[in-house]
């Protein structure tokens, strides 16, 4: 069967009752259906995974022998940089997103996510961002400074050329995608649960997804700040990572790893969630200690923000910092271990069906345990100082990433394949595929523990014969090819399945959760009628009763009302195009940046107004009692606390370190800034008056107060422009010293936020002028107000910490 | 380059805790996998039948397997913290030999301020005496790692990092840069030679002496003195360049190009004629010397014992 | 739910908002004044921090309505705020020690 025909089949089956089947490429480009977006993420993730795998095979070929000649040094360095970046950002994360997208609404008993078009936007930004990053290969400038690009190797002095620029811009684009998805799924999970589904009744996979979304929106702002600082150093000559100007190279490492450590929990928690679903189904018992597994996941997420400097034990932070992070890193092992014991207890006394999915889930438990234990070794600084930056740590993270994350994702693939495609995967071939994977994986990576223990550093394109590393490198290379073969076999298994008839049925595994309660694949509206929720593992309870075998009394079916399905839109893909063109433009010409951003902004305007008059969208209330858009804005503002908190911390950490003047006390004008601060405070007052007016339905007052808010905002910007120009005249520029760099970037980004706010408010004012802002639109003004007030309180912090405190 | 068969006090302190954690890890692994395999065998579904008991949880077990790992971690944490503080002393030990280590792209500069010695890529240390290394660098981040003498420490421009240890057995120990530092990161190797008392004195005297003047190498010395070599390299009394390694006693080293090649006349010749072919990205260019000139210079360098 | 503004308990009145704005103005004036009072120098930083925290809270609780809204919103925002604060303090504490003379 051809791909096109398959698309038609899937599309036809996905169509709602009476709806025309959506077919063809165009329907995929404009889709906002979470199931299709999930499939898009999955296919793209797999394609990038194959690319990253190919890069790995080339690396292993070069390392198979001492003094290898397969690849030159620069190519090798680019390959390991791109292999890491691709696998993390373009393969594992999107694969997790594929499952989040496809399954979360189904698991919650919902029809789609809270913001379907934003969902599509996240996908297209990811896809184009990934293509942009890999376009570096095509222009002969692949990034080659490692996937965590330590400053100052990434400065223009030591990495001239476009490679690092591609990496820096590509990751920032991908960060936008993750942030949008994070907000979307937080609102979805909190607000779109079916009646009766309390938070503790949600499947564990959804809980892990919720923690991952919070991790995403809180971790990405910090790497964004790190990248902004790098970008400004490279493009505009600022001093953030300039040692001679007083910059501290630890700064990059701290900022990167404040992101990087939560990132690894973003990579592993989805797999842990999947294992928590798969094991109970194939043990025919509930997950042992489900609440404890949930709390452990939440604790891991929360404390994951307190361990980051265990990546810096060799960097010389001093014994106190080393000891503190050693202890916090060891503490995190406790909730992790608790999960493992709960999974084992789930198996205990069960009736185990060893399907291919179960093979992967069990493989996860064993292999992740190994990775976790080598992680505990790394948590001890003295031991870590031998192991870090050697093949030991390479073995560690591949055990947790492949043995952990990938095994979990593959378990999910085998488990949910029937639901998504309506077909079963061949169990026998699947188990063979698992064993090939298992053997290949261990053959590749177990010896690397030993190689690290005998002193082989990482990221070396070749090695001498003298230290005796040759034999196990060869074994590792052979293993890599076996592993590759296993993925070829996976492709075969998948294609073979798609060619067969769709006979899986709704519930091939006797599942426990709501996705098995609807057809395979589900109809476009997911459920004919919203399902009843009787507790955790609600579907199992419906079929088999509770612990005592008592079946719940069937709830009366809700009247089948018209279900509002989100309509397709071409705006998500257009916004994404504009954004990536702007990123690419940064490498070529400022005009292209302007054009790309302009296009994206125009598309964003249309995006924002596309459903403005649509009454079906007027009220988006959710389970929490809060409108989706309001809840989403609060989540976003939480992430902005990280963004501005990091920027302010950088300013304060670098305070007093400028090598040359002017210095703050010589140049900051407190009286004038006091006036502008007062101005911004008053703008917040006027904003709440605007909100009160729109709620009353008083269009004239609404318009007046909105315009006043915007005007006061413009006055603030005027003060800022005055301040900036007079500073430049007095000799303080972005490039002059650390003070200039940190001050202008911090207040500049704040000013940028104010500008966006002014544009937003003026848009609302104009809508009101045209009679298009009624009382039913109050929430839109409220959301704009929340953003505006937040920008104000950031200024309150900046005014005190930067201007007033000496 | 073993990390577990170490020959210094620093290495030993690490070995103790390394062993402790490794054995504990092995134990936990055996328990977990043992339980897993047992469950797989014992609880395999043997045909459709009644559902197994639908146990949801057990508070006592949860408490138990929360406290047990916590205790195990306590056993690991206490010696960890002790070792962290012991191996990062605030005051250098009495009589320590101070060595300044500067990591360059892609070679190691070693200088002994108290002894007036500057050398490169091969670090001689006296047996049984504390070596207090001060790590700094003029370009990017590197990492000093000689596995058999202990854990690594980064070289971070703008920062002063320290590494202190006492070698406890004579011998040669291989090391390598352990923080990715650019194209030839893989080629930034070093070796530490731990000398007994006599050998150490002899080496110090040799290094402190002026460069050897070999009559057979005067032609090479002349070519060297008028080539670009002097812009980058130091040969005491002859040239004062500071971009590349000090060559005053180059002839007494075992390797060249930061541990890449054995120091033989053929290798030195190949290096001089085309350094980037040997070491990608190296800052030393091919100098355009004629084969005869190159041979002469190679002979001169070999004579600088 | 079909109310036009879900998730609200009471609303603050316009009078309340104006009072809050006046307090904010007063606090700002005190802050700025404080830096010129020599006697306050030893406790200047804690004073400024407390005052700005007060302003921060007033805008958050009243203008942003958190005081009247459902607790969910407080959790969704304050959790991240606390994480940001912890990271902020840790960063400032960690950067700087061990710098070498140039």
């Amino acid at each position: 069967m051809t791909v096109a025909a398959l698309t038609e089949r899937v599309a036809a089956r996905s169509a709602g009752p009476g709806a025309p089947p959506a077919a063809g490429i165009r329907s995929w480009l404009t889709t906002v259906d979470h199931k299709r977006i999930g499939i898009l993420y999955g296919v793209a993730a797999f394609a990038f995974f194959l690319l990253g795998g190919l890069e790995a095979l080339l690396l292993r070929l070069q390392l198979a022998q001492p003094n290898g000649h397969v690849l030159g040094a620069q190519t090798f360095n680019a390959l390991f940089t791109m292999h890491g970046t691709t696998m993390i950002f373009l393969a594992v994360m999107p694969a997790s997103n594929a499952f989040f997208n496809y399954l979360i609404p189904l698991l919650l008993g919902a029809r789609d996510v809270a913001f379907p078009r934003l969902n599509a936007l996240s996908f297209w930004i990811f896809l184009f961002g990934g293509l942009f990053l890999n376009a570096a290969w095509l222009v002969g400038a692949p990034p080659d400074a490692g996937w965590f690009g330590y400053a100052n190797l990434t400065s223009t002095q030591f990495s001239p050329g476009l490679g690092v620029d591609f990496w820096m811009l590509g990751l920032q684009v991908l960060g936008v995608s993750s942030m949008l998805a994070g907000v979307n799924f937080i609102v979805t999970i909190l607000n779109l649960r079916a009646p009766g589904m309390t938070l503790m009744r949600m499947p564990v996979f959804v809980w892990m997804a919720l923690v991952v979304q919070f991790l995403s929106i809180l971790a990405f702002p910090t790497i964004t700040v790190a990248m902004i600082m790098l970008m400004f150093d490279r493009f505009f000559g600022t001093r953030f990572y300039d040692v001679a100007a007083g910059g501290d190279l630890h700064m990059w490492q701290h900022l990167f790893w404040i992101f990087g450590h939560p990132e690894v929990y973003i990579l592993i928690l989805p797999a842990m969630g999947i294992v928590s679903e798969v094991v109970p189904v194939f043990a025919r018992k509930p997950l042992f200690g489900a609440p404890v597994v949930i709390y452990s996941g939440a604790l891991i997420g929360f404390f994951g923000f307190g361990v980051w400097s265990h990546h810096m034990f060799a960097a010389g932070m001093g014994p106190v910092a080393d000891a503190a992070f050693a202890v916090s890193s060891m503490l995190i092992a406790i909730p992790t271990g608790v999960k493992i014991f709960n999974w084992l207890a789930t198996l205990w006394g069960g009736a185990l069906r060893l399907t291919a999915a179960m093979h992967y889930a069990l493989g996860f438990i064993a292999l992740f345990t190994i990775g976790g234990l080598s992680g505990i070794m790394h948590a001890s600084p003295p031991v870590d100082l031998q192991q870090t930056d050697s093949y030991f740590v390479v073995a560690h993270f591949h055990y947790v990433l492949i043995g952990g994350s990938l095994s979990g994702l593959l378990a999910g693939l085998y488990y949910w394949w029937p639901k998504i495609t309506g077909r079963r995967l061949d169990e026998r071939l699947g188990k063979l595929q698992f064993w090939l994977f298992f053997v290949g994986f261990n053959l590749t990576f177990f010896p690397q523990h030993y190689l690290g223990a005998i002193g082989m550093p990482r990221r070396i394109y070749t090695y001498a014969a003298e230290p005796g590393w040759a034999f196990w490198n060869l074994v590792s290379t052979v293993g890599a090819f076996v592993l590759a073969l296993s993925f070829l076999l996976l492709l075969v298994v998948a294609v073979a399945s798609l060619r067969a008839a769709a006979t899986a049925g709704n519930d091939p595994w006797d599942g426990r959760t709501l996705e098995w309660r609807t057809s395979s694949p589900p109809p476009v509206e997911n459920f004919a009628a919203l399902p009843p929720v009787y507790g955790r593992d609600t579907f199992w309870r419906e079929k088999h009763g509770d612990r005592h075998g008592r079946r719940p009394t069937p709830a009366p079916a809700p009247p089948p009302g018209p279900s509002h399905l989100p309509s397709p839109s071409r705006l998500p893909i257009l916004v994404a195009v504009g954004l990536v063109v702007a990123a690419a433009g940064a490498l070529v010409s400022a005009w292209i940046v302007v054009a790309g951003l302009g296009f994206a902004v125009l598309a964003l305007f249309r995006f924002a107004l596309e459903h403005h008059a649509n009454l079906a969208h007027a009220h988006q209330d959710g389970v929490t009692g809060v409108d989706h858009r309001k809840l989403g804005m609060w989540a976003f503002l939480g992430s902005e606390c990280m963004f501005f908190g990091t920027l302010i911390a950088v300013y304060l950490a670098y305070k007093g370190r400028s090598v040359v003047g002017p210095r703050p006390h010589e140049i900051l004008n407190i009286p004038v800034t006091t006036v502008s601060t007062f101005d911004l405070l008053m703008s917040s007052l006027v904003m709440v008056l605007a909100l009160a007016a729109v709620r009353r339905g008083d269009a004239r007052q609404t318009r007046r107060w909105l315009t006043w808010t915007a005007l006061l905002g413009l006055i603030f910007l005027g003060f800022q422009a005055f301040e900036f120009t007079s500073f430049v005249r007095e000799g303080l520029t972005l490039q002059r010293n650390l003070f200039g760099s940190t001050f202008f970037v911090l207040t500049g980004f704040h000013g940028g936020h104010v500008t966006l706010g002014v544009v937003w408010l003026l848009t609302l004012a104009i809508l009101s002028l045209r009679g298009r802002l009624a009382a039913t639109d109050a929430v839109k003004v409220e959301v704009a107000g929340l953003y505006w007030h937040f920008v104000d309180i950031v200024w309150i912090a900046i005014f005190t910490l930067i201007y007033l405190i000496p | 380059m073993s990390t577990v068969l170490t020959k210094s006090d620093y290495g030993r302190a690490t070995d103790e805790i390394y062993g402790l954690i490794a054995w504990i890890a092995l134990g936990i692994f055996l328990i977990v996998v043992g339980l897993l395999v047992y469950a797989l065998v014992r609880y395999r579904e043997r045909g459709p039948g009644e559902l197994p008991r639908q146990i949801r949880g057990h508070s006592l077990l949860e408490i138990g397997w929360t406290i047990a790992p916590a205790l195990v971690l306590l056993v690991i944490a206490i010696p960890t913290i002790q070792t962290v503080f012991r191996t990062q002393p605030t005051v250098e030990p009495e009589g320590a030999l101070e060595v300044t280590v500067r990591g360059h792209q892609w070679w190691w500069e070693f200088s002994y301020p108290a002894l007036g010695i500057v050398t490169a890529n091969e670090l001689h240390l006296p047996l049984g005496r504390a070596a207090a290394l001060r790590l700094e660098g003029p370009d990017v981040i590197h990492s000093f790692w000689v596995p058999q003498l202990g854990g690594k420490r980064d070289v971070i421009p703008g920062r002063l990092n320290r590494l202190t240890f006492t070698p406890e057995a004579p011998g040669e120990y291989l090391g390598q840069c352990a923080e990715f530092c650019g194209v030839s990161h893989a080629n930034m190797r070093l070796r530490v030679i731990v000398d007994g008392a006599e050998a150490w004195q002899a080496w110090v005297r040799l290094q402190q002496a002026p460069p050897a003047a070999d009559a057979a190498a005067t032609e090479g010395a002349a070519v060297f003195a008028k080539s670009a070599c002097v812009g980058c390299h130091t040969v005491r009394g002859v040239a004062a360049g500071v971009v590349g390694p000090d060559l005053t006693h180059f002839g007494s080293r075992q390797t060249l190009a930061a541990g890449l090649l054995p120091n033989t006349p053929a290798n030195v010749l190949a290096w001089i004629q085309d350094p980037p072919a040997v070491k990608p990205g190296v800052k030393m260019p091919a100098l355009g010397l004629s084969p005869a000139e190159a041979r002469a210079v190679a002979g001169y360098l070999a004579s600088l014992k | 739910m079909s109310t036009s503004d879900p998730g609200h308990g009471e609303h603050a009145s316009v009078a309340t908002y104006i009072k809050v704005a006046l307090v904010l103005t007063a606090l700002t004036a005190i802050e700025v004044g404080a830096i010129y009072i020599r006697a306050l120098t030893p406790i200047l930083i804690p004073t400024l921090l407390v005052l700005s925290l007060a302003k921060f809270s007033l805008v958050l609780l009243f203008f942003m309505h958190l005081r009247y809204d459902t607790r969910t919103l407080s959790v969704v925002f304050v959790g991240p705020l606390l994480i940001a604060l912890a990271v902020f303090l840790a960063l400032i504490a960690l950067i700087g020690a061990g710098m070498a003379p140039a």
Side-chain angles (χ1 to χ4, degrees), chain B:
Chain B
M1 287 171 75
S2 166
T3 59
V4 295
L5 301 170
T6 56
K7 307 279 189 221
S8 77
D9 59 341
Y10 176 38
R12 265 186 307 114
T14 302
D15 289 349
E16 283 166 23
I17 185 143
Y18 204 150
L20 173 70
I21 303 180
W23 284 113
I24 291 177
L26 182 63
I28 296 176
F29 173 72
L30 290 173
I31 293 174
V32 170
V33 171
L35 289 170
L36 184 65
V37 170
Y38 178 80
L40 286 184
V41 170
R42 170 86 170 75
Y43 297 110
R44 199 173 183 147
E45 188 181 54
R46 308 211 182 274
E50 270 185 34
L51 288 176
R53 269 185 68 202
Q54 304 285 297
I55 305 177
R56 312 199 91 78
H58 192 299
S59 302
L60 229 56
L61 269 179
E62 299 288 353
I63 294 175
W65 61 48
T66 304
I67 293 188
L71 290 174
V72 170
L73 288 168
L74 199 62
V75 167
I76 294 176
I78 295 176
T80 290
I81 298 176
Q82 291 171 329
T83 312
V84 165
F85 280 92
R86 202 157 25 111
T87 52
Q88 295 186 49
T90 34
V91 180
E92 299 296 359
E94 279 273 329
L97 173 70
E98 229 186 61
V99 181
T100 301
V101 176
R102 283 169 67 77
H104 299 256
Q105 277 180 321
W106 292 281
W107 58 280
W108 296 96
E109 178 186 333
F110 301 120
S111 55
Y112 305 70
L115 303 172
I117 296 174
V118 178
T119 182
N121 301 320
E122 288 175 16
L123 178 63
H124 280 253
L125 292 175
L127 174 67
R129 184 175 167 195
L133 271 51
R134 297 165 55 100
L135 304 171
E136 38 184 78
D139 49 34
V140 298
I141 298 180
H142 301 274
S143 193
F144 179 88
W145 190 32
V146 184
Q148 280 197 281
L149 294 177
K152 59 187 66 73
R153 184 68 71 201
D154 289 350
V155 167
I156 301 192
R159 282 185 160 260
L160 176 63
N161 277 346
R162 293 179 185 277
L163 187 61
T164 305
F165 59 88
T166 304
E168 293 175 340
E172 271 186 33
Y173 304 105
L174 296 177
Q176 198 160 338
C177 174
E179 184 61 65
F180 184 67
C181 54
V183 158
S184 261
H185 164 63
N187 300 325
M188 191 170 159
R189 307 173 193 172
L190 71 130
R191 58 188 64 205
V192 175
I193 297 114
V194 176
D195 294 316
E198 276 179 31
W200 168 251
Q201 294 299 342
W203 182 82
V204 168
R205 271 196 306 271
L206 177 66
Q207 296 293 315
Q208 287 174 329
D214 186 344
T218 33
E219 193 205 329
V223 176
F224 180 88
K226 69 170 168 53
S227 305
C229 316
V230 302
C232 292
H233 292 282
T234 296
V235 175
R236 238 181 295 140
V238 175
V242 291
V243 179
D246 184 306
L247 300 177
T248 310
H249 296 283
F250 174 80
S252 63
R253 292 190 213 145
Q254 299 174 36
T255 60
L256 70 131
L260 260 196
L261 302 167
N263 190 355
T264 65
N267 283 339
V268 175
L269 185 62
W271 173 255
I272 294 174
Q273 289 182 304
D274 192 359
V278 177
K279 189 163 178 171
V282 70
K283 308 250 160 75
M284 174 168 158
L287 294 157
L289 297 177
S290 73
E293 288 176 317
R295 261 193 306 265
V297 171
Y300 167 63
L301 291 173
S303 79
L304 293 174
K305 296 263 183 259

Side-chain angles (χ1 to χ4, degrees), chain A residues 49-321:
Chain A
F49 175 75
L50 291 179
L51 178 61
L54 181 64
E55 289 163 344
L57 286 179
L58 289 170
L59 294 172
R60 287 296 344 151
L61 272 176
Q62 164 67 8
L63 292 173
Q65 304 165 60
N67 304 308
H69 291 295
V70 175
L71 303 167
Q74 195 137 34
T75 310
F76 183 94
N77 298 341
L79 280 170
F80 75 66
T81 302
M82 290 299 281
H83 165 74
T85 307
T86 298
M87 286 308 201
I88 290 174
F89 294 103
L90 304 180
V92 175
M93 285 178 77
S96 301
N97 280 329
F99 286 115
F100 291 159
N101 264 284
Y102 202 98
L103 291 155
I104 288 181
L106 289 168
L107 290 166
L108 295 178
R111 298 205 180 283
D112 207 308
V113 296
F115 304 115
R117 290 177 305 149
L118 206 67
N119 202 13
L121 179 61
S122 294
F123 170 75
W124 293 114
I125 293 179
F126 144 68
L127 181 67
F128 295 149
L131 291 174
F132 166 75
L133 184 61
N134 280 284
W137 287 113
L138 299 175
V139 301
D144 59 358
W147 89 269
F148 41 82
Y150 276 3
N152 53 359
L153 182 61
T154 48
S155 67
T156 41
Q157 181 186 2
F158 297 107
S159 287
L162 295 176
V164 170
D165 294 327
F166 267 104
W167 178 77
M168 182 178 73
L169 293 163
L171 285 185
Q172 288 185 280
V173 168
L174 293 170
V176 175
S177 168
S178 293
M179 290 281 317
L180 295 175
V183 171
N184 205 348
F185 279 103
I186 288 174
V187 177
T188 302
I189 293 172
L190 293 180
N191 257 1
L192 289 182
R193 289 166 280 139
M197 185 168 293
T198 61
L199 285 175
M200 288 310 284
R201 286 178 174 183
M202 291 196 312
V204 174
F205 176 69
V206 180
W207 259 108
M208 295 303 102
L210 182 63
V211 175
V212 165
Q213 306 313 324
F214 272 104
L215 287 175
S216 293
I217 68 168
L218 297 178
F220 274 94
T222 310
I223 192 181
T224 303
V225 170
M227 293 286 188
I228 286 174
M229 285 161 47
L230 179 64
M231 187 168 71
F232 272 69
D233 272 15
R234 285 182 68 88
F235 289 164
F236 306 124
T238 46
R239 306 288 181 188
F240 291 106
Y241 305 116
D242 183 342
V243 173
D248 185 348
L249 294 183
H250 275 197
M251 179 67 81
W252 170 269
Q253 296 187 28
H254 280 296
L255 295 181
F256 184 86
W257 289 114
I258 291 172
F259 154 78
H261 198 82
E263 167 67 13
V264 313
Y265 294 119
I266 291 172
L267 294 169
I268 196 68
L269 286 176
M272 290 184 161
I274 294 176
V275 168
S276 302
E277 299 299 326
V278 169
V279 168
V281 167
F282 295 114
R284 313 210 82 215
K285 280 175 69 209
L287 177 66
F288 196 92
V292 176
V293 174
I294 290 172
Y295 294 140
S296 300
L299 277 175
I300 289 173
F302 186 75
F303 286 115
F305 276 100
V307 303
W308 79 84
S309 283
H310 64 226
H311 298 268
M312 293 169 64
F313 284 148
M317 297 183 298
V320 174

Side-chain angles (χ1 to χ4, degrees), chain A residues 661-732:
Chain A
R663 315 212 184 264
H665 60 269
E666 297 163 14
I667 201 169
L668 292 176
N669 188 332
I670 293 182
V672 169
T673 316
T674 307
V675 176
S676 69
T677 303
F678 173 73
D679 166 280
L680 209 59
L681 283 174
M682 290 305 107
S683 75
S684 269
L685 170 64
V686 169
M687 183 71 220
V688 297
L689 296 178
L691 179 57
V694 78
R695 284 211 179 103
R696 287 196 307 269
D698 186 341
R700 232 186 43 128
Q701 295 283 46
T702 307
R703 263 201 305 285
R704 167 207 273 187
W705 295 126
L706 281 175
T707 313
W708 265 105
T709 315
L711 194 61
L712 289 172
L714 279 169
I715 292 176
F716 177 85
L717 288 172
F719 271 102
Q720 198 163 47
F722 167 73
E723 180 187 52
F724 279 21
T725 44
S726 55
F727 281 9
V728 171
R729 251 182 299 117
E730 291 174 61
L732 183 73

